[in-house]
Each structure stands twice: as structure tokens, then as C-alpha cells.
Amino acid sequence: MHVDPFEKGWIWLVGIITVIMLGVIFYTAFMWGVHPPSNAFARPETIDPNKLHLSGEFAEDNLGVTTNADGSVNVTMVAARYGFYPQEVEVPADTPVTIRITSRDVIHGFHVKDTNAASMVIPGYVSTVETQFAEPGEYGMLCNEYCGLGHHYMWSRFKVVEKTQGT
Amino acid sequence: MAEQSSQPQLSEEEQQKILETPPKGTFAIMLIYAVIFMAAWFGIYFGTLIARGPVSG
């Protein structure tokens, strides 16, 4: 099959660029741990979305921020049309934060704006994201998966405060 | 009346030489594209994504 020499040149160039980019992505994924949360595939944690409010980790009284003995913080949230509950979350900066979130109804997503904290939120599964927030400030927590007519109203506040003031 | 061409008249030899030389302009465009693309990609990957901190789950 004849391939024009210019076409060949562009194919080689794009191929080399792709290999370099994939190499960087794989290196940072395996060596630096930079990858999307993988718990949904590796060890899926299931839950009954119809009984969240009744008891257990995602009952209404158990939602919010809790501090562990080692100083790390757990954030337990529920996503439902059209809001995140609790609607305001406050965590300390430079502290390991584990966000555990599930959905009551349809597929949502959450993204803490200007950070890498983001995940799909799927009914029947618990999404877990572990991260740290370096910069104090008020961030928007947005739903980034179309969930219905009110999707664009679905957001809440995620506050990062100085470590000494953290809950 | 025949019009005189404004193009310089090239001999067969000169035409063949032009056809056989490598297309330096094309290669320059490819290199510029590659440099701009890679710079933008590395800039966003390390300047934005990595800079925002690790996330795992």
C-alpha cells in the first residue's frame, strides 16, 4: 500500500507524541499514584440507595465531617436531585481528607472546583476519594453528570480552612 | 499575441533539483506544531493537574 511520504512523516510524528504522552501518564500513575479513584472497579462497595436515610453510614444524622484520631478527616455525603447533603462542608487544609459519597436516585458526579477531587456518584455504589487540600478558601462543589432538569442548580459549598481551625 | 510569462524560466535541471530537495518548510511546520502541542500538554498536565495534588481512592 503506498503511503505518501508526508503522510508517513505526520503519522510518525503523531505516534511519537502519543507514546511520550502515554509514557508520562503511565509513569505518574504507577510511580506517583496520580490516577482516577479506582475503587469502583477494583473493590466496588455497594449499598442500597433506597435505604440510605434509614440507618448506617449515610443516614442523615451521620452525614458531614468527622475527625479521626490521627487527625485525618472523613466527609460523608449523599448526592440527590438536586443537591449535595450536607450542603456546606468544612475541612482543614493540608490534612488527609476521605470523601465518601453515594447517590439516592440517579447518576451524579461531583467535582470540587479548582481541585482534583472529582468522581462519579452512582446509585448502589459508594465512591471514595482520598486527597488533601493545600489552599484554604471556599470552593464550589458541582455536579458534573447530567442528572435532570435541575442539574445546573446542583452545587454546594466546600470550605477549606486553616488547619488550626479545622473540625 | 502571446503574453510573456512573468515567472522565471527554469531549466529541466533546476526543476529536477527543486523536486528532489527535502521539503524544509513542511518539516519546519511539523516541528513548530510538535513543540507547541507538547509544551501546551506538559504545561497543563504538570502546571494544572499535578499541581492540584494527588487523588486516590
Side-chain angles (χ1 to χ4, degrees), chain A residues 6 9-10 13 17 20-21 24-25 28 32-35 37 39 43 114-116 128-131, chain B residues 23 26-27 29-31 33-34 37-38 41-42 45-46 48-57:
Chain A
F6 292 142
W10 279 110
L13 179 66
I17 289 173
I20 291 174
M21 286 164 53
V24 169
I25 290 170
T28 54
W32 295 3
V34 178
H35 56 76
N39 59 307
R43 42 188 190 281
D114 294 333
T115 74
N116 283 341
T128 304
V129 174
E130 298 165 3
T131 187
Chain B
T26 303
F27 293 150
I29 289 171
M30 290 165 78
L31 184 65
Y33 157 80
F37 185 89
M38 295 300 285
W41 190 87
F42 275 92
Y45 189 79
F46 287 98
T48 303
L49 177 70
I50 300 291
R52 288 182 177 176
V55 171
S56 60

Side-chain angles (χ1 to χ4, degrees), chain A residues 65-67 71-73 75 90-97 131-136 158-167:
Chain A
V65 181
T66 54
T67 304
S72 63
V73 165
V75 178
E90 193 173 287
V91 298
D94 294 323
T95 304
V97 174
T131 187
Q132 273 187 295
F133 299 97
E135 292 290 326
F158 201 93
K159 291 183 184 172
V160 179
V161 297
E162 295 289 345
K163 198 167 181 178
T164 52
Q165 300 170 31
T167 54

Side-chain angles (χ1 to χ4, degrees), chain A residues 57-78:
Chain A
E57 182 182 1
F58 294 96
E60 193 171 351
D61 290 343
N62 298 333
L63 300 179
V65 181
T66 54
T67 304
N68 301 318
D70 61 359
S72 63
V73 165
N74 287 346
V75 178
T76 306
M77 300 187 75
V78 168

Side-chain angles (χ1 to χ4, degrees), chain A residues 10-163:
Chain A
W10 279 110
I11 289 171
W12 271 103
L13 179 66
V14 171
I16 290 169
I17 289 173
T18 304
V19 167
I20 291 174
M21 286 164 53
L22 284 175
V24 169
I25 290 170
F26 278 117
Y27 181 84
T28 54
F30 288 111
M31 297 298 168
W32 295 3
V34 178
H35 56 76
S38 58
N39 59 307
F41 178 74
R43 42 188 190 281
E45 192 178 338
T46 57
I47 196 167
D48 186 347
N50 297 316
K51 299 179 181 172
L52 291 179
H53 60 294
L54 296 176
S55 63
E57 182 182 1
F58 294 96
E60 193 171 351
D61 290 343
N62 298 333
L63 300 179
V65 181
T66 54
T67 304
N68 301 318
D70 61 359
S72 63
V73 165
N74 287 346
V75 178
T76 306
M77 300 187 75
V78 168
R81 292 193 287 191
Y82 295 104
F84 295 100
Y85 306 98
Q87 285 194 305
E88 275 199 25
V89 171
E90 193 173 287
V91 298
D94 294 323
T95 304
V97 174
T98 300
I99 301 172
R100 287 177 56 79
I101 185 169
T102 186
S103 169
R104 267 209 66 198
D105 38 41
V106 298
I107 295 177
H108 298 279
F110 87 90
H111 178 203
V112 181
K113 194 173 173 297
D114 294 333
T115 74
N116 283 341
S119 178
M120 295 286 287
V121 185
I122 302 170
Y125 295 90
V126 178
S127 298
T128 304
V129 174
E130 298 165 3
T131 187
Q132 273 187 295
F133 299 97
E135 292 290 326
E138 190 171 301
Y139 300 85
M141 185 175 187
L142 316 168
C143 179
N144 59 7
E145 192 68 37
Y146 181 75
C147 53
L149 291 176
H151 163 69
H152 52 294
Y153 289 121
M154 188 166 170
W155 65 278
S156 62
R157 289 191 181 83
F158 201 93
K159 291 183 184 172
V160 179
V161 297
E162 295 289 345
K163 198 167 181 178

